[in-house]
Amino acid sequence: MPIVHGFDPPERFVAGTVGEPGARTFFLQARSGSRVTSVALEKQQVAALAERVDELLDEVMATSTTHVVPALAPLGTEDTAPLEQPIDEEFRAGTMTLSWDPADERIVIEVFPYSEAAVITPDQVDEDFEEPEPDEIFLVRLTAAAARSFVQRAEQVLGAGRPTCPFCAEPIDPEGHLCVRANGFRRRDPQD
């Protein structure tokens, strides 16, 4: 039986980072009272989760006549505070699932630990594959308003990284970068 780090609903659920742009570690963090759970994940996973949460809420808003879903994060729900300290990583995120529970009007997010056993190589795509039972699950159930607030903060966290090169779309470090589209010419952050 897996350990379930459940929050229904959490007092706070955010995406955040530790470290400087270019060397940041991303976390999902939930808090209820003094209980805090932090799960490490990749920047692309934060982006995908925020995008899918937003899309799912838009779908519910467009198709439901009984559920009230705000189009944007309600005023006063913005969360710009840093992550709760100390950050004790429970696990590194692998698979994530997302669903809408119409009975409770909640977004349900499940995050499972990364596992080498769950990695499929290209030559295994056509084979029957049974994913191993996880040891832990990070389970968060959010109201629609809290989910919109999560998306808003996640977008801010993602946008706070290194600026991208307008030519090759690669990140620009403070000391610049070798732009492949400019034949190796070293470009700097346009704000410098």
Side-chain angles (χ1 to χ4, degrees):
M1 187 89 179
I3 298 169
V4 178
H5 305 280
F7 294 85
D8 183 15
E11 291 171 15
R12 182 178 193 223
F13 178 64
V14 295
T17 62
V18 173
E20 295 298 316
R24 298 187 295 173
T25 301
F26 287 79
F27 290 94
L28 291 178
Q29 190 177 74
R31 176 180 49 81
S32 284
S34 62
R35 189 169 65 95
V36 177
T37 299
S38 302
V39 172
L41 71 169
E42 298 297 323
K43 179 179 182 178
Q44 295 84 352
Q45 289 174 296
V46 174
L49 180 61
E51 182 180 327
R52 283 298 300 133
V53 166
D54 214 26
E55 288 173 358
L56 181 56
L57 289 170
D58 288 347
E59 284 176 33
V60 172
M61 194 170 69
T63 60
S64 177
T65 57
T66 58
H67 305 298
V68 177
V69 175
L72 300 169
L75 291 175
T77 62
E78 184 175 332
D79 185 341
T80 58
L83 293 172
E84 307 281 337
Q85 298 292 329
I87 299 172
D88 294 321
E89 179 183 319
E90 293 296 331
F91 58 83
R92 179 155 286 282
T95 305
M96 295 186 286
T97 66
L98 180 65
S99 61
W100 173 256
D101 181 350
D104 289 337
E105 297 187 17
R106 298 268 196 271
I107 286 273
V108 181
I109 300 169
E110 293 177 306
V111 182
F112 303 95
Y114 174 81
S115 168
E116 287 286 335
V119 176
I120 300 173
T121 61
D123 58 315
Q124 295 174 311
V125 171
D126 294 329
E127 296 177 19
D128 285 336
F129 179 77
E130 190 171 315
E131 193 164 331
E133 182 73 26
D135 295 332
E136 298 179 78
I137 301 171
F138 182 42
L139 173 65
V140 180
R141 296 171 58 84
L142 300 170
T143 64
R148 289 285 193 201
S149 182
F150 167 79
V151 169
Q152 179 182 36
R153 178 183 168 122
E155 289 171 348
Q156 291 168 350
V157 166
L158 292 166
R162 297 174 289 176
T164 56
C165 175
F167 300 103
C168 68
E170 292 296 317
I172 301 174
D173 291 318
E175 58 276 356
H177 85 126
L178 295 177
C179 181
V180 296
R181 302 257 335 255
N183 293 325
F185 179 73
R186 184 171 287 280
R187 296 200 178 273
R188 298 204 177 275
D189 182 352
Q191 325 243 307
D192 288 342

